[in-house]
Structure formats: C-alpha cells, structure tokens
Amino acid sequence: MENGVSALWWRSVEHTHNAYANETFLDELLEKAGKDPVEGRLALLGDKHPRHRGVLEKVAKMADSAGPVSSGRQRGVALHKSFGSFVAQIAEVSDNGNGEPRVHKVWCAVDCGVAVNPDVIAAQMEGGLALV
C-alpha cells in the first residue's frame, strides 16, 4: 500500500514510525475523549512510569513557557522510550496551505541516563528533528 511512510529500517530500527503511529492514535483517542494531550498521557501513566512522566512534564513546561499557541497553529505531543532513552516532544505546526504540515517549533526533553557527552545527545535529537 502506498502511504508515504517508508517501512525500511531507519536508524532507530522502527521506533520512529511506530512511535509516530502510536502517539498519533493516542492523540486521536484523547481528543475524542475531550482530554488534554499532556494531561491525558500523564493520567494514563499513573505513578508507575517516573521517567516517562519526567520528560513529558519537562517538555510541557518548555512549550508552556513559549506562551499560547498562535492562531492557525496546533501543538502535537509525543512520548516514547527507545533503547533505554525516554523522549517527549511537542511540535507546533500549521497547514502550509497545500494540506501539508509546516513545523514552526519543536520542544524536546530526553532522559537517557548519564549524559557522558551532552553535545552528542543534542546532535542526535536535533538530527532526528531535521527529518520533520
């Protein structure tokens, strides 16, 4: 089926598109339930997942500090664990007028444990965001 999402092995061995599919579906469910995407995820996590909660709460604070969402834009939330690292992101996007998304800003929080070389961690996260 042609769907625009490559099924090839990407650098993160399927985590990128699986996270996208899972988090998009969760956003749809939370929206249908009338729940905020961050608060809804936190409620689902409960108290059993402190590292998930930590990055999600951190990225929500980062995005909140930028102020309200501009007119014509929306914010999407994603949370995923891959290879022992926990990452949460919030992206501010709009429709570019052709039915395609335009990314204006992305906030990212990562907990990978001990950061031996923080510059490499930042480069990894920024490199992954460049695909957006």
Side-chain angles (χ1 to χ4, degrees):
M1 173 172 103
E2 285 294 323
N3 67 5
V5 177
S6 172
L8 300 175
W9 293 98
W10 293 359
R11 252 181 114 185
S12 64
V13 195
E14 292 193 80
H15 280 276
T16 49
H17 41 286
N18 283 338
Y20 173 79
N22 291 339
E23 291 300 293
T24 301
F25 183 58
L26 181 55
D27 264 346
E28 290 178 17
L29 293 174
L30 291 170
E31 182 179 2
K32 293 252 186 231
K35 307 239 183 224
D36 175 81
V38 172
E39 294 303 320
R41 281 173 173 79
L42 289 171
L44 290 170
L45 288 169
D47 294 328
K48 297 181 182 182
H49 303 279
R51 292 178 73 188
H52 284 92
R53 290 183 70 84
V55 292
L56 185 55
E57 289 170 347
K58 176 67 176 177
V59 81
K61 274 187 191 174
M62 294 164 67
D64 286 347
S65 71
V69 181
S70 299
S71 179
R73 297 182 183 184
Q74 298 290 322
R75 288 186 181 160
V77 180
L79 173 65
H80 191 69
K81 175 191 172 209
S82 175
F83 302 106
S85 291
F86 300 78
V87 178
Q89 296 180 349
I90 296 179
E92 188 169 294
V93 300
S94 66
D95 183 331
N96 72 357
N98 295 325
E100 297 174 352
R102 175 169 181 234
V103 179
H104 298 276
K105 176 103 176 149
V106 178
W107 296 270
C108 178
V110 60
D111 174 358
C112 60
V114 177
V116 175
N117 189 337
D119 290 339
V120 170
I121 298 165
Q124 183 75 22
M125 295 297 103
E126 291 167 359
L129 291 173
L131 297 174
V132 179

